[in-house]
Amino acid sequence: MSDQSTPTADHSTFYTPSAEVMSRARVQNWEALKAESDADPMGFWAARANELGWYQKWDTVLDDSNKPFFKWFVGGKTNIVHNAIDRHQSTHRKNKLAYIWEGEDGSQRFVSFAELNTEVSKFANVLKSLGVKKGDRVTIYMGRVVELPIAMLACAKLGAIHSVVYGGFSTEALKGRILDSQSTVLITCDGANVSGKRIELKAICDGAIDAESPIKTMVVYKRTGHDVPMVEGRDFWWHDLMKNASPKCETEVMDAEDPMFILYTSGSTGKPKALVHTHGGYSVYTYTTFRYVFDIQDEDRYWCAADPGWITGHSYIVYAPLMNGATSIIYEGGPSYPAPDRWWNIVAKYGVTILYTAPTAIRGLMRFGADWPAKHDLSSLRLLGSVGEPINPEAWRWFYENIGGSRCPIMDTWWQTETGGFMITPMPVVPLKPGSGTRPFFTLKAEIVDENGEAVAPETEGYLTILGPWPGMARTIYGDSARYAQTYWSRFPGRYFTGDSARMDKDGYYWIIGRVDDVLKVSGYRFGTAEIESALVSHPAVAEAAVIGLPHEVRGNAIYGYVLLRQGHNDSPELREELRAHVAKLVGPIAKPEKVTIVDRLPKTRSGKIMRRLLKAREQGLPEGDISTLEE
Ligand code: PRX
């Protein structure tokens, strides 16, 4: 049933965290707190919510009267910016660093919570002057600069809904997301520096705006400084608008359930869906999971090497670290630029204590060998983290031994854009098994079920479901609540369906196997096969297309496309190359297929559904399994 290769799971060996890590952990008795929170989830979440600031406390912790549209902290008034920035202004954290930023060119910036407050307030006033108000959507398409979190926070401060589109997506992907969200303002940079190359962000934005576009204004932050054309009356430089902006701006009082941001992610249809996250529940959930799992302390220097444009960045670069008053590192560029020890250099330079990254990055850096990290003093590290896809035991051990010095437990956090925050995850005191996210977070219950929704026995592969709601859950799909209910809550009524297959071992540890829907994880990035297929089919030579993912040493999965040509077009190496480039151009360079094969026909069921499973088996030379539904 799985779509992905399974790491050889070693279900028996435990790695026990070191006495030093354990002794200082915030949560000492995990079992006790887990049992207590499971017995009284509402009590647990109310207590966590009480650690944050509210303009007005809630009346009801959970309203489940209209399932699956759950509401949390109903009647509560807050704003995530109140907790992320405002409340630190009257404590010692005012002068603490919120962000340490390093450009790929080596330039640095040190931004305190006070300065962040000033910049966010000024930019919020800029947005106001452009007509942005509560509930409006703003699209953000930027490189990894501090202005990306500043733009996000400024939107949230006003109660506007940000829609961040990852800076690695191409014109069409950006255009579709702008249209769907009906954003009127687009915030971008002239360009971004990644791995010694310049990404033409502004040019991509120009291409995404046509006569039908709802965008009225584009704000451009100058990063690369190269010449970019500016459209009179539509495009404005960030620095020009900021010049006279007032540094004082009231934070908008929001209902706990008011939407805070939308974030597009891929599903099983061609159209990406925007998950909606809120001010109240999302704040409480991300604040709490971060605090417990990364055991964040005031003196930590925390580095999440993901991009702020993904959910990992939203939750664990921007909002949760700021709400916890943490100092974070943001690095602009590529991990092996100019040399494969760039990351290790950053860890040593800033004394990073917690490093959170993805298996694909670990595998990529592992290829260069352990001599590169060995050149640097990595002894400041205390905890490591992994997210985005199953981590194979080999990469786990390399990370553990060569980066963590066999001292730092790895928090393998399983979660999704939809869940808002960590769901199945260790904590510093939990014994680890390489490749397993261990057990569900406080108050959560996960269950692995068969086709009929019946729980399966331990060690049996099945569908991963979550029982019961949690505060960080996405509330709906923007503009399509029917699709939300259908995608996540209908397959197994009363449960949240994750789209993943998994197994639980006899110790109650969960092992994620991979997606069971038509979603692919490539370098941790999420794509729908239908998204890539529709990009292929938009090429004039293509009549029909099918896409599958096959195991790849570094990227986890690589994309393989199978294409049926229209009459008058013939197979050639040039055409195949053109089709690969076409996908990269439309969706983004990260979606470029590894290989495109021209075929005479595609294996389909009698009802016309492409049998991707069969394409996969054939490509890998594996048994074809049940082909009784195959059309003659
Ligand atoms: O398949 C799981 C995989 O990533 C999917 C969610 O993707 P996305 O919404 O892009 O969010 C990624 C960052 C939170 C999941 O359905 N996944 C995520 N984390 C892990 C994982 N698979 C195994 N282990 C993980 N730690």
Side-chain angles (χ1 to χ4, degrees):
M1 68 192 282
S2 138
D3 239 44
Q4 324 221 324
S5 65
T6 316
T8 353
D10 172 1
H11 289 191
S12 50
T13 318
F14 280 108
Y15 280 69
T16 308
S18 71
E20 202 216 320
V21 167
M22 289 218 272
S23 65
R24 55 164 297 170
R26 180 172 277 117
V27 171
Q28 284 291 321
N29 191 340
W30 186 90
E31 296 288 349
L33 199 47
K34 173 72 179 154
E36 196 183 300
S37 70
D38 286 359
D40 179 18
M42 296 311 128
F44 177 85
W45 289 117
R48 302 290 78 74
N50 268 320
E51 293 172 21
L52 290 171
W54 296 79
Y55 298 118
Q56 183 185 305
K57 289 274 167 82
W58 55 94
D59 310 312
T60 317
V61 176
L62 171 70
D63 173 358
D64 60 0
S65 59
N66 183 25
K67 296 184 181 101
F69 302 100
F70 299 92
K71 291 182 178 162
W72 285 86
F73 307 108
V74 184
K77 303 260 185 223
T78 187
N79 185 312
I80 199 160
V81 172
H82 176 67
N83 285 301
I85 300 180
D86 300 356
R87 70 175 189 153
H88 302 314
Q89 304 307 314
S90 54
T91 72
H92 69 282
R93 288 186 180 140
K94 179 174 183 172
N95 299 312
K96 187 182 166 178
L97 293 182
Y99 289 118
I100 297 173
W101 178 86
E102 184 167 300
E104 193 172 81
D105 56 9
S107 50
Q108 294 175 312
R109 280 171 73 187
F110 298 91
V111 183
S112 68
F113 278 92
E115 196 182 340
L116 188 64
N117 184 36
T118 305
E119 294 302 298
V120 168
S121 298
K122 283 172 74 176
F123 196 64
N125 282 324
V126 166
L127 290 175
K128 259 193 202 171
S129 73
L130 298 173
V132 174
K133 41 185 201 321
K134 183 172 170 174
D136 288 353
R137 277 81 55 214
V138 172
T139 296
I140 303 176
Y141 180 75
M142 300 176 90
R144 252 179 252 166
V145 286
V146 182
E147 279 63 23
L148 171 46
I150 290 171
M152 293 163 73
L153 289 154
C155 289
K157 190 174 174 79
L158 297 178
I161 299 169
H162 60 67
S163 165
V164 181
V165 178
Y166 169 60
F169 274 128
S170 294
T171 312
E172 290 301 313
L174 175 61
K175 190 173 167 180
R177 286 156 175 80
I178 288 172
L179 267 182
D180 186 79
S181 64
Q182 287 291 303
S183 296
T184 50
V185 174
L186 173 60
I187 305 166
T188 189
C189 301
D190 47 358
N193 301 313
V194 182
S195 303
K197 290 198 258 332
R198 192 169 67 208
I199 300 173
E200 300 285 344
L201 296 173
K202 170 71 165 72
I204 293 170
C205 287
D206 288 337
I209 303 179
D210 57 16
E212 275 92 64
S213 179
I215 297 292
K216 301 275 176 296
T217 312
M218 186 164 15
V219 182
V220 188
Y221 177 74
K222 190 177 271 188
R223 167 60 191 134
T224 45
H226 68 296
D227 268 347
V228 292
M230 299 288 276
V231 175
E232 180 82 36
R234 185 197 73 182
D235 302 350
F236 301 91
W237 287 107
W238 176 293
H239 58 264
D240 285 340
L241 296 173
M242 288 287 268
K243 229 176 271 164
N244 298 315
S246 158
K248 294 240 169 330
C249 179
E250 284 296 314
T251 302
E252 192 77 27
V253 175
M254 303 297 286
D255 277 330
E257 279 294 304
D258 275 336
M260 201 265 278
F261 69 86
I262 57 176
L263 185 57
Y264 285 86
T265 192
S266 300
S268 47
T269 72
K271 192 171 169 256
K273 53 198 169 188
L275 278 315
V276 178
H277 286 284
T278 58
H279 274 271
Y282 176 83
S283 293
V284 175
Y285 197 72
T286 54
Y287 164 83
T288 305
T289 46
F290 185 65
R291 196 169 180 75
Y292 285 143
V293 174
F294 285 126
D295 194 35
I296 197 77
Q297 310 284 346
D298 239 342
E299 62 275 23
D300 272 319
R301 273 88 56 186
Y302 161 81
W303 182 19
C304 169
D307 194 282
W310 299 101
I311 192 66
T312 307
H314 282 56
S315 298
Y316 299 110
I317 295 177
V318 183
Y319 294 111
L322 293 176
M323 280 189 283
N324 279 280
T327 299
S328 293
I329 281 88
I330 297 180
Y331 165 57
E332 177 185 40
S336 51
Y337 188 85
D341 60 346
R342 182 63 187 264
W343 273 22
W344 319 130
N345 182 291
I346 291 173
V347 169
K349 190 190 292 177
Y350 303 109
V352 171
T353 56
I354 305 167
L355 173 62
Y356 185 33
T357 183
T360 184
I362 298 165
R363 290 190 297 261
L365 291 166
M366 190 168 104
R367 271 186 320 173
F368 298 108
D371 289 349
W372 290 100
K375 288 206 270 183
H376 299 272
D377 177 6
L378 306 180
S379 62
S380 58
L381 287 168
R382 177 173 107 253
L383 293 173
L384 301 173
S386 172
V387 61
E389 54 175 319
I391 180 165
N392 49 309
E394 194 198 356
W396 194 98
R397 285 196 196 92
W398 190 85
F399 195 36
Y400 183 78
E401 287 162 14
N402 296 290
I403 308 307
S406 300
R407 220 182 36 255
C408 312
I410 301 175
M411 302 300 112
D412 181 357
T413 60
W414 175 87
W415 59 295
Q416 308 176 302
T417 306
E418 291 86 344
T419 70
F422 309 148
M423 298 293 281
I424 297 177
T425 173
M427 273 177 226
V429 294
V430 172
L432 304 173
K433 299 187 189 190
S436 168
T438 76
R439 293 160 64 186
F441 190 73
F442 298 142
T443 75
L444 297 181
K445 184 159 192 262
E447 201 164 71
I448 297 177
V449 300
D450 63 16
E451 293 286 342
N452 305 316
E454 302 291 333
V456 299
E459 301 292 359
T460 312
E461 184 173 335
Y463 302 100
L464 177 63
T465 64
I466 307 291
L467 292 158
W470 63 99
M473 64 199 297
R475 298 300 191 266
T476 190
I477 292 173
Y478 185 72
D480 199 348
S481 40
R483 187 175 172 197
Y484 172 78
Q486 205 271 328
T487 309
Y488 304 108
W489 300 90
S490 70
R491 174 100 185 248
F492 303 109
R495 298 158 181 267
Y496 171 78
F497 177 43
T498 62
D500 279 354
S501 65
R503 87 170 75 78
M504 188 190 75
D505 69 18
K506 59 176 181 6
D507 297 312
Y509 277 44
Y510 288 79
W511 300 79
I512 307 298
I513 295 158
R515 302 288 307 193
V516 287
D517 49 6
D518 295 320
V519 167
L520 294 175
K521 289 294 259 130
V522 179
S523 301
Y525 298 116
R526 181 165 159 179
F527 294 105
T529 48
E531 231 176 325
I532 316 285
E533 285 161 3
S534 67
L536 281 169
V537 172
S538 74
H539 189 279
V542 177
E544 249 189 295
V547 158
I548 58 168
L550 290 178
H552 185 280
E553 207 182 322
V554 174
R555 278 175 267 156
N557 285 285
I559 297 174
Y560 285 71
Y562 300 84
V563 159
L564 219 77
L565 295 180
R566 284 178 191 278
Q567 265 190 351
H569 294 273
N570 296 314
D571 187 5
S572 71
E574 292 73 33
L575 177 62
R576 276 178 260 140
E577 194 43 45
E578 194 179 312
L579 293 175
R580 292 179 64 225
H582 183 70
V583 175
K585 184 161 165 276
L586 255 59
V587 186
I590 38 171
K592 188 173 188 171
E594 183 80 4
K595 189 174 147 195
V596 169
T597 308
I598 312 290
V599 294
D600 295 334
R601 54 183 179 161
L602 292 167
K604 286 190 188 165
T605 62
R606 276 182 282 275
S607 57
K609 209 171 172 296
I610 293 169
M611 292 179 80
R612 296 196 179 80
R613 177 177 60 77
L614 200 61
L615 283 170
K616 255 173 110 147
R618 287 183 183 165
E619 187 74 52
Q620 293 177 288
L622 295 171
E624 295 190 353
D626 178 11
I627 52 164
S628 57
T629 58
L630 186 67
E631 181 192 42
E632 277 313 306

